[in-house]
């Protein structure tokens, strides 16, 4: 009898664990109801779709399930149900005959039972996002791109899910460093798996023009290439006379079409950016007559310094990188560019930049001054307003809408423009008050090219955006009508990033956190609950060969002066980590002093060393800071 009781106890315990096993998904769905049991994927599992519009998603699911399992699934059309009962071992994708208002165009319902999986949505996009959720329910080995070994089961669950925002984006800058076509497709595929639906493609800047414009061949013959340099961007040597520009590349129009199709298959809209009137050095190197100075010695910038920044947001350019707003030939040029861009990208938006436009050369140019006098302009900011309004009219003639960085508010915003607010949320608030749509992308939350860890551990950049900071971002400011906030996006500028591996390191896990921000309900946000979901995603990324940062485990050190005493406070983003430290030149570990209260740093040649542990094992990188460095951190 005792043995029977013990067996029953073990069965109840194990069953309970199975029922309470956490379901870790990114982004967090709207509603998740765990059920008892699991669905087992086998060689005999049937994948079916009920309408022709669902075929592409079903075939993609079959391929993704086949790659790691080796089962060779094929999707087939037709129901595998008898009445309301699904056939054993089946996965069925269906579009709702009566659309659900709750689900909208991108929502879905997913029911996993021991017998079958049923995924339904109003539109194929919803099926696609439901497929991504289903794939995350299987073991991490399901993310492998080669044959893997696992028990291919998914926990039983009922999920109802739909996005909070319609614009969920990630920007990739390919001007500062060129990324080959296959890298761009890889990046799009990765963000699509996280239910991002917008890929903002920064195609032109001072460091390279990356899109073929057939009517203006020098844009890529000249503008796509610069002299090779290695080192810290902004401190590199300028081009030498006669030096060959061999570093760079561009996308042909066939490349663009291929990437657009690839994105469309993954429900990702590509928003191309042609950055004007500033950030145009690559275009001016090809066609110097477009600038006020008409300097024929202008070269594509290789990462050398050509500006002085004054710390208050103002700056001075040493080289003219700005189009001439008073020259009608500039608008003829832009009409040619946007004609071909509009034909390549089927979405409604074209991003026209508008940021960091230096107007010093405009102030000295007779043509600009004559235009200002003719138009009764009070300042050169109004020249940019005039320019952007002209751009908007060009785009409207192509059937496109203008979106630009928040500087387009200065000098008078174009009537129907959408604003991308990057200098904080102030520009977005102003635009919304004026009745303009806004994409919130403030640098202090979503610039994922900025440091995510301590500057002594990661390559130092001018500022930091911690993972937890990104997770805590709220796109809708208080007092703003949410109808004007289309959503938000993460921005990856690549001055210091020249490989897809490094791009991934900077993107993840911050893009995982922001996936929650843009998709999940506002009231579902819970940092402590996000951490285990992130850690599950680490395992999936390992299987998929995706690079990511573990900076959130690293210790954080801040200092203050209390009188003449230097005091250090230690912390970590991840909750419940143990922090150990030393100031005696020994290596810290679990037998060193454990941090509990702020530490007074003695005078003299002292070095503070700090490391984080979890469950008796080191988990973060060791931080080593001399006393002089600690003093510099005093706030």
């Amino acid at each position: 009898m005792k043995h029977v009781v013990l067996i029953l106890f073990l069965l109840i315990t194990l069953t309970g664990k199975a029922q309470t096993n956490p379901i870790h998904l990114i982004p967090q769905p709207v509603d998740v109801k765990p059920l008892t049991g699991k669905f087992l994927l086998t060689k005999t599992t049937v994948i079916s779709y009920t309408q022709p519009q669902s075929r592409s998603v079903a075939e993609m699911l079959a391929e993704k399930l086949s790659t790691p399992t080796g089962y060779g699934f094929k999707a087939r059309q037709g129901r595998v149900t008898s009445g309301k009962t699904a056939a054993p071992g089946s996965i069925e994708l269906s579009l709702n005959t009566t659309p659900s208002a709750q689900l909208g165009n991108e929502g879905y319902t997913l029911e996993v039972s021991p017998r079958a999986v049923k995924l339904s949505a109003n539109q194929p996009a919803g099926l696609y996002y439901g497929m991504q959720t289903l794939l995350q329910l299987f073991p991490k080995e399901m993310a492998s791109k080669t044959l893997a070994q696992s028990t291919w089961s998914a926990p039983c669950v009922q999920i109802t899910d739909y996005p909070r925002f319609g614009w969920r984006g990630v920007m990739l800058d390919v001007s500062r460093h060129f990324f080959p076509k296959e890298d761009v497709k890889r990046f799009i595929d990765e963000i699509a798996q996280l239910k991002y639906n917008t890929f903002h493609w920064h195609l032109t800047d001072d460091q390279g023009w990356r899109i073929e414009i057939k009517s203006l061949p020098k844009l890529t013959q000249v503008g796509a290439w610069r002299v090779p340099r290695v080192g810290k961007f902004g401190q590199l040597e300028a081009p030498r006379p006669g030096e060959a520009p061999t570093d760079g590349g561009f996308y042909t129009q066939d490349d663009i079409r291929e990437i657009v199709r690839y994105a469309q298959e993954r429900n990702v809209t590509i928003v191309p950016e042609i950055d004007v009137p500033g950030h145009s050095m690559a275009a001016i190197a090809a066609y110097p007559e477009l600038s006020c100075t008409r300097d024929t010695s202008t070269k594509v910038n290789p990462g050398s310094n050509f500006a002085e920044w004054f710390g208050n947001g103002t700056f001075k350019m040493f080289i003219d990188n700005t189009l001439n707003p008073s020259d009608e030939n500039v608008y003829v040029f832009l009409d040619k560019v946007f004609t071909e861009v509009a034909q390549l990208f089927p979405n409604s938006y074209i991003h026209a930049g508008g940021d960091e436009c230096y107007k010093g050369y405009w102030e000295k140019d007779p043509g600009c001054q004559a235009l200002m006098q003719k138009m009764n302009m009070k300042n050169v900011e109004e020249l940019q307003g005039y320019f952007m309004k002209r751009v908007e009219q060009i785009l409207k003639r192509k059937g496109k809408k203008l979106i630009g960085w928040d500087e387009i508010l200065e000098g008078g915003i174009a009537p129907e423009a959408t604003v991308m607010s990057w200098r904080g949320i102030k520009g977005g608030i102003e635009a919304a008050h004026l009745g303009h749509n806004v994409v919130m992308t403030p640098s202090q939350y979503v610039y994922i090219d900025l440091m995510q860890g301590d500057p002594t551990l990661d390559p130092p950049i001018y500022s930091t955006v911690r993972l937890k900071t990104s997770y805590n971002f709220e796109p809708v400011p208080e007092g703003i009508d949410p109808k004007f906030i289309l959503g938000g996006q993460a921005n990856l500028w690549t001055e210091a990033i020249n490989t897809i591996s490094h791009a991934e390191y900077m993107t993840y896990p911050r893009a995982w956190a922001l996936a929650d921000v843009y998709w999940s309900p506002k009231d579902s946000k819970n940092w402590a609950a996000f951490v285990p979901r992130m850690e599950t995603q680490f395992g999936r990324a390992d299987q998929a060969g995706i690079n990511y940062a573990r900076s959130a485990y690293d210790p954080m050190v801040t200092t203050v002066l209390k009188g003449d005493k230097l005091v250090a406070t230690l912390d970590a983003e991840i909750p419940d980590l143990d922090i150990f430290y030393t100031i005696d030149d020994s290596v810290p570990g679990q037998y060193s002093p454990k941090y509990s209260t702020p530490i007074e740093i003695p005078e003299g040649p002292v070095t503070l060393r700090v490391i984080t542990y979890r469950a008796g094992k080191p988990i973060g990188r060791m931080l080593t800071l001399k006393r002089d460095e600690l003093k510099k951190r005093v706030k």
Side-chain angles (χ1 to χ4, degrees):
M1 188 66 185
K2 289 181 180 178
H3 292 301
V4 173
V5 171
L6 178 60
I7 291 170
L8 286 172
F9 173 79
L10 288 173
L11 285 172
I12 292 169
T13 302
L14 291 171
T15 304
K17 285 184 178 178
Q19 289 175 335
T20 59
N21 183 41
I23 295 173
H24 291 157
L25 302 170
I26 292 178
Q28 179 66 23
V30 173
D31 184 63
V32 179
K33 290 185 173 64
L35 304 173
T36 302
K38 60 186 179 182
F39 171 82
L40 188 63
L41 186 73
T42 70
K43 291 181 179 180
T44 60
T45 297
V46 175
I47 301 171
S48 69
Y49 57 96
T50 57
Q51 295 97 341
Q53 305 96 300
S54 311
R55 177 178 176 178
S56 62
V57 179
E59 289 179 341
M60 192 177 293
L61 174 61
E63 180 182 355
K64 288 182 176 294
L65 293 176
S66 296
T67 298
T69 64
Y71 290 162
F73 295 116
K74 299 292 182 183
R76 72 185 196 190
Q77 186 173 357
R79 290 194 173 275
V80 289
T81 57
S82 175
K84 294 185 178 181
T85 304
S90 63
I91 300 176
E92 183 179 273
L93 283 65
S94 63
L95 293 175
N96 297 325
T97 53
T98 302
S100 162
Q102 181 188 42
L103 297 182
N105 291 333
E106 297 182 300
Y108 63 92
T109 58
L110 176 63
E111 183 175 347
V112 180
S113 71
R115 183 180 179 90
V117 174
K118 296 186 70 175
L119 172 60
S120 60
N122 295 335
Q123 298 290 337
L127 294 178
Y128 180 84
Y129 295 130
M131 174 189 73
Q132 301 300 342
T133 298
L134 175 61
L135 291 170
Q136 287 191 41
L137 291 174
F138 285 104
K140 63 184 180 181
E141 289 80 9
M142 188 60 80
S144 175
K145 296 175 182 177
T146 59
L147 196 64
Q149 297 296 319
S150 183
T151 300
W152 304 112
S153 64
C156 293
V157 65
Q158 285 183 339
I159 295 175
T160 300
D161 199 15
Y162 45 87
R164 181 184 176 195
F165 293 106
W167 186 300
R168 307 180 303 279
V170 180
M171 186 213 76
L172 178 65
D173 165 20
V174 296
S175 172
R176 275 50 181 270
H177 278 101
F178 177 70
F179 288 79
K181 175 177 63 177
E182 294 306 318
D183 285 352
V184 175
K185 290 164 69 175
R186 172 186 173 119
F187 194 79
I188 290 171
D189 190 54
E190 290 172 3
I191 65 172
Q193 292 173 26
L194 300 166
K195 302 184 177 69
Y196 286 98
N197 67 354
T198 303
F199 175 59
H200 175 174
W201 204 1
H202 187 80
L203 288 163
T204 74
D205 215 296
D206 299 313
Q207 289 76 28
W209 184 284
R210 305 301 183 197
I211 177 172
E212 179 187 26
I213 303 297
K214 292 186 176 182
S215 61
L216 296 161
K218 287 198 292 185
L219 284 174
T220 47
Q221 291 171 357
V222 175
W225 305 95
R226 64 194 188 213
V227 296
R229 292 289 184 268
V230 176
K232 188 173 179 60
F233 211 85
Q235 300 178 8
L236 302 177
E237 182 186 5
R240 297 186 295 270
E243 188 177 10
T246 57
D247 181 21
F250 64 94
Y251 308 101
T252 67
Q253 294 198 358
D254 284 342
D255 290 336
I256 299 285
R257 293 186 188 97
E258 179 183 336
I259 293 169
V260 167
R261 284 194 300 270
Y262 189 87
Q264 287 174 326
E265 290 167 359
R266 287 152 181 80
N267 295 283
V268 171
T269 295
I270 299 182
V271 176
E273 181 179 357
I274 307 298
D275 200 351
V276 291
H279 286 280
S280 294
M281 195 180 299
I284 292 168
Y287 298 97
E289 66 273 16
L290 298 174
S291 67
C292 290
T293 58
R294 297 173 173 263
D295 185 356
T296 56
S297 68
T298 300
K299 306 295 182 186
V300 180
N301 184 267
S304 58
N305 184 29
F306 59 93
E308 181 180 4
W309 292 82
F310 301 118
N312 60 355
T314 62
F315 57 98
K316 177 182 179 180
M317 289 287 179
F318 307 135
I319 302 173
D320 189 359
N321 72 335
T322 307
L323 302 179
N324 182 353
S326 69
D327 187 347
E328 284 301 311
N329 289 323
V330 167
Y331 302 103
V332 173
F333 164 83
L334 291 173
D335 190 88
K336 291 179 179 180
V337 170
F338 288 127
T339 293
E340 296 190 36
V341 172
Q343 290 169 351
L344 290 168
F345 296 94
N347 74 90
S348 59
Y349 278 108
I350 291 178
H351 201 299
D355 62 314
E356 297 176 335
C357 175
Y358 179 63
K359 304 171 182 69
Y361 294 101
W362 294 357
E363 291 174 335
K364 300 174 184 177
D365 181 72
C368 289
Q369 293 305 307
L371 177 61
M372 288 179 64
Q373 186 174 6
K374 176 183 177 181
M375 303 294 294
N376 295 315
M377 296 180 187
K378 300 180 181 64
N379 52 57
V380 285
E381 280 69 31
E382 291 184 65
L383 264 181
Q384 179 163 345
Y386 167 85
F387 177 93
M388 298 309 294
K389 288 169 187 173
R390 292 283 300 267
V391 169
E392 182 179 61
Q393 290 305 309
I394 292 172
L395 293 179
K396 285 184 72 173
R397 291 197 295 271
K398 319 299 177 193
K400 302 297 184 182
K401 295 188 289 187
L402 167 68
I403 184 169
W405 303 108
D406 57 50
E407 284 95 332
I408 66 174
L409 288 160
E410 299 166 5
I413 186 172
E416 300 172 38
T418 294
V419 172
M420 195 166 273
S421 186
W422 74 277
R423 296 177 299 178
I425 61 174
K426 182 180 178 183
I429 292 172
E430 180 183 346
H433 281 315
L434 292 170
H436 290 266
N437 288 331
V438 175
V439 176
M440 281 295 190
T441 179
S443 60
Q444 64 266 44
Y445 291 99
V446 304
Y447 268 42
I448 57 176
D449 58 302
L450 300 181
M451 290 182 294
Q452 52 199 316
D454 193 275
T456 64
L457 298 174
D458 282 342
I461 303 171
Y462 64 91
S463 189
T464 300
V465 173
R466 292 270 182 184
L467 172 65
K468 190 174 182 180
T469 301
S470 291
Y471 184 78
N472 287 332
F473 174 48
E474 170 47 45
V476 182
E478 285 190 34
I480 295 299
D481 190 335
K483 75 178 183 181
F484 292 115
I485 309 301
L486 301 181
Q489 70 179 34
N491 292 334
L492 186 65
W493 303 101
T494 60
E495 288 92 337
I497 300 167
N498 59 8
T499 66
I500 190 64
S501 173
H502 192 183
E504 290 171 343
Y505 177 87
M506 301 303 288
T507 301
Y508 312 114
R510 287 181 291 191
W512 301 343
L514 290 167
D516 264 20
V517 172
Y518 302 141
W519 179 280
S520 307
K522 179 180 179 180
D523 60 7
S524 71
K525 194 172 290 186
N526 183 314
W527 171 249
F530 171 75
V531 171
R533 290 192 289 122
M534 174 190 72
E535 292 176 326
T536 298
Q537 196 72 11
F538 283 162
R540 297 183 61 80
D542 289 337
Q543 291 291 323
I546 297 172
N547 197 15
Y548 56 87
R550 296 173 60 90
S551 309
Y553 292 115
D554 296 340
M556 300 188 300
V557 178
T558 55
T559 57
V560 295
L561 280 175
K562 293 187 176 179
D564 59 352
K565 304 293 185 183
L566 179 63
V567 178
T569 298
L570 313 184
D571 203 353
E573 288 183 272
I574 303 297
D576 301 325
L577 297 186
D578 294 321
I579 305 174
F580 297 97
Y581 70 95
T582 63
I583 54 174
D584 61 1
D585 273 347
S586 64
V587 177
Q590 60 182 323
Y591 305 114
S592 303
K594 183 177 178 180
Y595 177 77
S596 59
T597 58
I599 308 160
E600 184 179 321
I601 307 298
E603 295 283 349
V606 175
T607 299
L608 173 67
R609 292 181 174 86
V610 189
I611 194 166
T612 53
Y613 270 62
R614 178 195 274 169
K617 294 183 179 180
I619 194 166
R621 294 173 291 182
M622 184 172 70
L623 195 56
T624 303
L625 297 168
K626 295 184 180 298
R627 195 177 196 281
D628 288 346
E629 174 60 31
L630 292 169
K631 285 186 69 174
K632 292 177 184 177
R633 298 188 177 208
V634 170
K635 293 183 178 180

